[in-house]
Structure formats: C-alpha cells, structure tokens
Amino acid sequence: MASLIDVRDLLALRGRMEASQLSATLHTPRGLIDAMLARMEAMGKAVRIQEEATGCLTGSCKHCPDGKDACSREWWALR
C-alpha cells in the first residue's frame, strides 16, 4: 500500500505520470491513487495536466462511443 509520500516521491523522480502508471508502479489500486492525487491537488502540491486531443491521427475518435475523451490524456506533476 502506497502513501502520499510515495506518490510525491515518484512524481518527483519521474516528472509527470498518468494515474494508471502510478497505480501500476506502486502496486496500488487506481481508486486509491485517484483519491491521493485529488488530495494532493487540493493541498496545492500536485497539478493536473490535461492534454487536448487536437486531432486524432486515425480518425477513430469519431466512431468511438467515448468520443474525444478517450483520446485525451491526463498527466500529474508536482508544483
């Protein structure tokens, strides 16, 4: 089980990561990682970086039931 300090340290070492990468690296459930990141964001320690899907290279976003949200990525970094 990872702690807020473990998440902070990993973000400091790697620069920026997705929540799924943090979850896999720390062997911690994704829901717990999401909760810790939200808490760190509320404390002003982490920042959410959303990458906009400016253009889908394959054009599959138009046919995807999730739409462009499936193509956008969300990164986390320390402030």
Side-chain angles (χ1 to χ4, degrees):
M1 189 77 71
S3 67
L4 282 172
I5 294 171
D6 295 328
V7 173
R8 183 205 61 196
D9 290 348
L10 191 56
L11 282 174
L13 286 172
R14 302 258 177 107
R16 71 176 190 173
M17 294 181 77
E18 292 180 316
S20 59
Q21 293 172 323
L22 285 164
S23 175
T25 304
L26 295 172
H27 306 289
T28 304
R30 173 68 189 267
L32 183 57
I33 293 293
D34 289 337
M36 285 193 262
L37 289 170
R39 185 67 195 138
M40 289 176 68
E41 184 179 33
M43 293 184 330
K45 302 295 182 189
V47 61
R48 182 187 321 236
I49 304 165
Q50 291 188 319
E51 203 175 75
E52 292 183 23
T54 56
C56 186
L57 297 176
T58 62
S60 62
C61 291
K62 295 175 186 172
H63 306 299
C64 181
D66 294 330
K68 289 188 177 184
D69 292 334
C71 295
S72 63
R73 297 177 77 180
E74 184 176 86
W75 298 88
W76 288 90
L78 294 180
R79 279 193 181 199

